[in-house]
Amino acid sequence: MPQIDLVIPMPPTPDADLHLGHAAGPYITADIYRRMLQMGGRNVIFVSGCDALENWCADMGTEALARMRDRHESALASLGVEFDAFLSPLEGAFGEAYSRILRDGFRKLCSHLQFEEVEEEILFSASDGVYGFGVDVAGECPHCGARVQGSSCIQCFNDIQPAELVRPYMPGRDNTAPTTVTNAFLRIDGVSDEQLRAVGLPEVALRRFDTWRTETAGRMRLTYQGSFGVRPDGSTDRVLRNAYLYFCRAAAWTMTDGASSPDRTFRLSAFMGLDNFIPNGIGSIVLAEHFDDIEVTRVEFNHMLHYDGRKFSKSKNHGPRILDLAQKWGERRMAALRVHLAGLDLSGAIQEFDLGTFDAFAAEYECVIEWLSDAVGREELAEAQDAGCLRDSIWGSAVCDAPRQFKRIELTKLYQETLLSLSGPRSTVDALIGMQFM
C-alpha cells in the first residue's frame, strides 16, 4: 500500500504576525525534518496553514483573515520554510474537505465509548452575544495559579476548560453572567505510556500528561457554542472545535486527490508547542484510530522561547516579529537567523533569544557564506546537487536515522561546525550536498 509522510507543524492563529518564538519552535524543526526525509527518498507532503475557524475570527472578516494567512506564509518563507501549500479552512477545495471531515469525524465519535455530552457552566456576554470560550475567557489556572487567557496555561502548559478556571471573567466584554450549556467531549486519558513513547514523546511529556489526567476529567473538547465554524448535523448553537488531526487529513486528501486513491495511507509527523501537545498531539492519536488511512507516527513538541526574560507573544506585541526583521535584513542575515534559531534547544526547557549573541554568530556566519560564494562555482555546485549525490558520511547516517531518532540540536551543531571549518571548493561541494536539510 503506498505510504506518504505528512509533515505538518501546528497551524498558527491569524490574530497577529508571527514572531521568532514560532519560527524556533515547530516550523524550522518541521522543515529540517521534512528535508531529511526527502533526502532519504521518502514521499513527503509539507503543509500548514491558518487556524481561522474560531469565534473571535468572525470579528476580523474574511479579507483580513486571508491577508494574515499570506503574511504568515511570507514570514516563514523568509526563513527558508517553504510549504507545498499554506492552507485556510475558509478557502477552496481544502475548506470543503476540512468541513466534510470534521462532520464525518464527529459522527464516528458519537458512538465511541469515551464520547460524552456534558453540561458545563460558561460565562456569556448578553451585550455581545458571545460565550466565554478560547480567548474570550480568562482567569487563574487551577493547577498553578497563573493568569490564563484561552485554553492552555503557558506557565504549567496544562490544557484547561473554561469551567475549570478560577475567578473567570470575559476580557473587554460587558453584561456577563454564567449560563449552563451542553457540549460534546471525548475522554483521552486512556492513552498508554507505550503509545506515547511509540511516537517519540519524552518522559517529561508522559509525566505532564499523567498529571493532567490525574487533576482533570481527562476530556478533549469536541464542540462549543458559537456561530463561526462548522456545525455538527442538526445543531443550531454549537460548532465543532478545530481538530489538528482533521486539518492534517483534509490537507492530505486535498494535496493528493485522495478520493480517487483510497488505498493510500498517510504517516503523520506532528510538530507543536508544549501547550498544544495534550489536545492536539495526544488527542490526534485517539482520533486517528477511527480512520484507516492515517496514523500518527511522531509527535515533536517544543518549550517556549523568551525575549528579555518573558515569553514571546504576538498578541502582546512582545519580541521581534519575523516580517519586521525580514524587511530590515537581507537574505544572508535571515539565513543566519534560521541556523541560529535551529541551534536553540527548546526540547527540554525554555530558552532565551539574545540579540547580542545572535549578532556575533551572524557576523561569523556571513563571513563564511561570503567566502563560499567566491570559492565555489555556482555551476559546479548545481551539477553536484542535480546529480542527487548523498555522500557516505555523517550526513548520510543522520538521514537514514531521521524517522527513528531526530535530534535537531545535534544536527544543527554538526552543521555549524562543518560549515565554519570548510577549507576548499571540493570539500565545500561535498559538505553542501550533505547539508541540504538546513
Side-chain angles (χ1 to χ4, degrees), residues 296-331:
V296 180
T297 58
R298 180 173 203 87
V299 177
E300 185 94 11
F301 72 82
N302 59 271
H303 283 72
M304 302 296 110
L305 184 66
H306 280 199
Y307 180 73
D308 283 346
R310 292 188 291 127
K311 174 185 174 292
F312 272 90
S313 173
K314 56 183 168 66
S315 61
K316 297 177 182 177
N317 197 26
H318 176 66
R321 301 188 181 198
I322 301 170
L323 279 179
D324 292 342
L325 297 179
Q327 289 167 2
K328 291 193 302 183
W329 297 348
E331 290 184 6

Side-chain angles (χ1 to χ4, degrees), residues 189-364:
D189 51 352
V191 177
S192 68
D193 288 355
E194 289 71 23
Q195 287 176 284
L196 302 185
R197 291 190 183 100
V199 297
L201 283 168
E203 293 303 311
V204 64
L206 273 62
R207 292 194 299 271
R208 192 168 296 281
F209 179 54
D210 190 55
T211 298
W212 175 79
R213 60 185 168 188
T214 300
E215 297 180 354
T216 73
R219 300 186 183 112
M220 176 179 68
R221 178 175 297 277
L222 299 177
T223 67
Y224 60 93
Q225 277 61 39
S227 58
F228 193 72
V230 179
R231 292 200 184 283
D233 296 336
S235 177
T236 59
D237 69 328
R238 302 195 301 187
V239 293
L240 297 170
R241 169 188 166 267
N242 291 333
Y244 168 77
L245 190 279
Y246 295 159
F247 182 99
C248 296
R249 188 166 181 262
W253 278 59
T254 302
M255 298 297 291
T256 61
D257 188 21
S260 63
S261 303
D263 60 336
R264 285 194 179 114
T265 59
F266 302 100
R267 298 177 295 202
L268 173 62
S269 294
F271 294 80
M272 61 193 64
L274 182 56
D275 54 336
N276 276 303
F277 99 94
I278 290 177
N280 295 301
I282 295 174
S284 292
I285 295 172
V286 177
L287 294 180
E289 294 173 353
H290 296 270
F291 299 98
D292 295 329
D293 60 350
I294 188 168
E295 62 174 329
V296 180
T297 58
R298 180 173 203 87
V299 177
E300 185 94 11
F301 72 82
N302 59 271
H303 283 72
M304 302 296 110
L305 184 66
H306 280 199
Y307 180 73
D308 283 346
R310 292 188 291 127
K311 174 185 174 292
F312 272 90
S313 173
K314 56 183 168 66
S315 61
K316 297 177 182 177
N317 197 26
H318 176 66
R321 301 188 181 198
I322 301 170
L323 279 179
D324 292 342
L325 297 179
Q327 289 167 2
K328 291 193 302 183
W329 297 348
E331 290 184 6
R332 190 169 293 177
R333 190 167 178 82
M334 291 300 289
L337 180 60
R338 172 189 169 98
V339 177
H340 179 73
L341 292 175
L344 298 177
D345 188 357
L346 299 175
S347 61
I350 291 168
Q351 295 291 332
E352 179 85 11
F353 176 79
D354 179 73
L355 190 57
T357 302
F358 167 67
D359 285 341
F361 170 79
E364 185 176 12

Side-chain angles (χ1 to χ4, degrees), residues 17 51 129 140 177 180 208 220 264 285 325 365 371-372 407 411:
D17 285 330
D51 183 8
E140 296 173 15
T180 300
R208 192 168 296 281
M220 176 179 68
R264 285 194 179 114
I285 295 172
L325 297 179
Y365 181 91
W371 173 82
L372 288 177
K407 297 182 178 180
L411 287 170

Side-chain angles (χ1 to χ4, degrees), residues 36 39-40 389-404 411 414 430-431 433-435 437:
M36 293 186 67
M39 288 175 67
C389 303
L390 183 61
R391 301 291 190 269
D392 184 13
S393 65
I394 51 177
W395 306 114
S397 174
V399 170
C400 291
D401 290 341
R404 295 194 301 275
L411 287 170
L414 197 57
D430 289 349
I433 291 170
M435 296 189 292
F437 62 84

Side-chain angles (χ1 to χ4, degrees), residues 5-12 18 22-35 38 44-50 68-88 244 247-248 251 255 268-272 322 338:
D5 284 287
L6 300 177
V7 178
I8 304 183
M10 271 290 295
L18 300 179
H22 294 104
Y27 301 103
I28 288 178
T29 308
D31 187 46
I32 293 172
Y33 186 69
R34 69 96 180 173
R35 290 170 187 256
Q38 288 173 330
V44 180
I45 293 174
F46 182 51
V47 298
S48 190
C50 265
M68 190 57 70
R69 187 211 72 86
D70 293 343
R71 289 180 68 82
H72 284 357
E73 185 176 21
S74 297
L76 294 169
S78 73
L79 288 167
V81 182
E82 297 182 342
F83 296 98
D84 298 326
F86 201 74
L87 303 163
S88 168
Y244 168 77
F247 182 99
C248 296
M255 298 297 291
L268 173 62
S269 294
F271 294 80
M272 61 193 64
I322 301 170
R338 172 189 169 98

